[in-house]
Amino acid sequence: MKILITGLWICAVTIASCYGAVTFGGGIFSGKKTEPYLEGLQYQKLAPINIPMIADGKVQGYVIAVLVFTADAKLMHTLPVPPNAFVVDEAFRQIYADPALDFRKLAKYDITKRLAEVRAKVNERLGGDVVKDVLVDEINFVAKREVRS
């Protein structure tokens, strides 16, 4: 009989302590102040872009570029569409339509100005200052004769 009463006593104390922990202990756990996650710039590496270079009505070769952009992480999470496609599209347009870029006559190219224009156009299309910087990870030119079919 003593063992039965002791067992019931242990069960009652266990149930009461669990109930007390859940009821009154919730304030302890929920009272912890969580520090807000400090979001800064988010780094996005884009897939390689193949841009045909056309001169004299023929494809002379392809510019292969791998771009990286940094963007405000907080704004990136609020945008309905990620800016990756806009950066790729604008970089393609800028390089494809640039008459100063002629690989038959090599000369220095102001890539800093071109990347700043890409950033400005993308931010204009997105309607805010989302993209902070556009960087070149890799850039190369492959002549048409070097392309394997």
Side-chain angles (χ1 to χ4, degrees):
M1 186 68 144
K2 272 185 165 181
I3 294 176
L4 182 63
I5 292 174
T6 305
L8 289 174
W9 175 252
I10 291 173
C11 289
V13 168
T14 304
I15 290 172
S17 63
C18 288
Y19 176 77
V22 169
T23 304
F24 302 112
I28 295 170
F29 299 114
S30 66
K32 282 187 180 178
K33 292 183 180 177
T34 57
E35 294 183 23
Y37 177 67
L38 298 176
E39 297 185 74
L41 293 179
Q42 189 172 357
Y43 174 89
Q44 293 280 322
K45 184 174 182 176
L46 301 171
I49 308 168
N50 299 315
I51 307 160
M53 299 310 298
I54 300 172
D56 301 329
K58 296 180 185 175
V59 174
Q60 302 298 317
Y62 297 89
V63 172
I64 301 170
V66 178
L67 300 176
V68 174
F69 72 92
T70 58
D72 187 347
K74 204 174 249 186
L75 286 175
M76 285 275 290
H77 296 298
T78 61
L79 291 175
V81 178
N84 301 28
F86 292 99
V87 174
V88 169
D89 179 62
E90 196 57 45
F92 186 94
R93 290 174 190 232
Q94 292 283 329
I95 295 171
Y96 183 76
D98 189 4
L101 189 59
D102 187 2
F103 285 94
R104 295 174 299 162
K105 300 172 193 163
L106 293 178
K108 282 192 173 187
Y109 185 70
D110 191 3
I111 193 75
T112 306
K113 178 183 171 191
R114 186 63 56 210
L115 293 175
E117 288 178 15
V118 168
R119 182 184 68 79
K121 291 282 189 177
V122 169
N123 284 335
E124 181 182 310
R125 288 169 73 180
L126 292 174
D129 191 25
V130 179
V131 176
K132 300 297 181 188
D133 204 1
V134 180
L135 311 165
V136 175
D137 189 33
E138 294 178 42
I139 192 163
N140 200 357
F141 177 75
V142 179
K144 185 178 177 185
R145 64 182 176 276
E146 296 173 11
V147 176
R148 291 182 276 165
S149 299

